[in-house]
Amino acid sequence: MRKLLLSAASVGLIAAPAVAEVSDGKVKIGILNDQSGVYSDFGGKNSYEAALMAVEDFGGTVLDAPVEVVTADHQNKADIASNIARQWYDTEQVDSIMELTSSSVGLAVQALSREKQKITINTGAATTELTGAQCSPYGFHWAYDTHALAVGTGGALVQEGGDSWFFLTADYAFGYSLEEQTTAFVTEKGGSVVGSVRHPLASTDFSSFLLQAQASGAKVIGLANAGADTQNAIKQAAEFGITQGGQKLAALLFTLADVHGLGAEAAQGLNLTESFYWKRNAESEEFGRRFLERTGSMPNMVHAGTYSAVLSYLKAIEAAGTDETEAVAAKLHELPVNDVFAQDGKVGANGRMIKDVYLMEVKAPADITEDWDYYNVLATIPGDQAYLDPAKSGCPLVTQ
């Protein structure tokens, strides 16, 4: 009988019980972003804290394996980011890289991760190319993108009569994508673009660019940039009396952290789009106050999106019973996203996580009841309107 059992097992007649598998005995997540430059408030070290919060809230382990989070500063340079990512994958057993502020960085690391068969979840990068022509079976885009920003901020201003635009655009992939997406939406709604000018990343002097915008006579000056670049442009626009002259500034990527850094006095009246606001409901407020206690700041959409991305990744590992890339990627596509960031979020075939976004207006200082209470939520834009249909995204992985 013993010989019969051994023989049966050897040919697979007796199935072994399924065993959860985690490579290297741990799950290791890398948060790679700008921690010292123009986007350090946009995501920065607070995205790392958001990732830690997600791990702690999940319980600290998945499939009985510990979860570790590491972080590094890519300095907004794609080559530095790629070198860090390669080292993480090749020698430090990192399983997934997230955040990736700056579109050039996001595209570079997603391409490397595809080669290495590793999962990336972009929460800080904006370009739709991540889920378009350069999509990856292991790449996901979580918090926002340039299409959602264009639909939100661009659409609102055209409907309010802002039908002629001039763009100040950051001179790299993110800026081009944001200008292109907003231009398409403005013209689709009957508006026009009368001109544009590009400026280097981390500019300190916007005077010549703003004078060109002012001279154009456009009703709206679209700031297709982010972080300190947007803050500096808004401050210097005030010095030239641009808004006093009747032109309106549209901050196409501006978050709560940027409003706080600029100050409500200078930012009041700005329209912008975010996919998270801490004071939108009781659940988001509870999360926001925990985040504030931990970091000294309220979360913006990048921080909350990173929290959600880490939680979703861990849930996918748990559901797959392994951290093997193909299985986890399949679960990320399959599982709905329900957490403080997204309600009934869904991941498209191109890796785009689709959820509602919100059109905001920065309050006048007299209407602010407490620190960080900067927004009025003007409208909720359904995710299916805010984001491109995956079938129309240009992603070669999507079957019609």
Side-chain angles (χ1 to χ4, degrees), residues 285-302:
E285 182 166 350
E286 187 275 335
F287 173 76
R289 294 195 185 281
R290 282 201 295 134
F291 191 88
L292 177 66
E293 184 177 354
R294 183 178 188 125
T295 66
S297 300
M298 280 294 181
N300 63 17
M301 64 182 174
V302 177

Side-chain angles (χ1 to χ4, degrees), residues 55-96:
V55 171
E56 292 163 10
D57 288 351
F58 193 79
T61 65
V62 60
L63 302 179
D64 296 323
V67 181
E68 182 181 350
V69 183
V70 296
T71 189
D73 183 355
H74 61 46
Q75 302 173 50
N76 286 313
K77 297 179 180 177
D79 57 341
I80 291 176
S82 295
N83 288 337
I84 292 170
R86 190 178 298 277
Q87 179 180 332
W88 276 356
Y89 288 149
D90 291 348
T91 66
E92 298 184 29
Q93 294 80 50
V94 168
D95 298 294
S96 175

Side-chain angles (χ1 to χ4, degrees), residues 12 46-47 110 120 125 137 142 202 204 287 307 318 325 332 340 400:
N46 282 350
S47 288
Q110 180 168 285
T120 54
W142 219 254
T204 56
F287 173 76
Y307 175 89
E318 184 175 62
T325 296
L332 280 167
V340 70
Q400 303 292 329

Side-chain angles (χ1 to χ4, degrees), residues 89-112:
Y89 288 149
D90 291 348
T91 66
E92 298 184 29
Q93 294 80 50
V94 168
D95 298 294
S96 175
I97 299 177
M98 305 185 192
E99 220 270 41
L100 296 166
T101 294
S102 180
S103 292
S104 57
V105 165
L107 290 167
V109 175
Q110 180 168 285
L112 173 66

Side-chain angles (χ1 to χ4, degrees), residues 29 53-54 56 59 80 101 172 174 200 204 213 244 318 333 364:
I29 300 167
M53 284 179 69
E56 292 163 10
I80 291 176
T101 294
Y172 75 107
F174 152 70
T204 56
Q244 294 91 325
E318 184 175 62
H333 280 283

Side-chain angles (χ1 to χ4, degrees), residues 342-400:
Q343 293 76 50
D344 298 318
K346 58 186 178 181
V347 177
N350 60 345
R352 172 71 257 173
M353 200 273 277
I354 299 168
K355 67 171 293 290
D356 295 347
V357 301
Y358 311 104
L359 175 65
M360 314 289 195
E361 181 182 59
V362 179
K363 294 179 178 181
D367 297 329
I368 294 172
T369 59
E370 62 177 306
D371 282 348
W372 300 95
D373 171 35
Y374 296 135
Y375 292 160
N376 288 315
V377 180
L378 300 182
T380 297
I381 303 165
D384 289 335
Q385 294 178 26
Y387 295 105
L388 281 167
D389 181 341
K392 298 178 181 178
S393 66
C395 172
L397 301 172
V398 179
T399 56
Q400 303 292 329

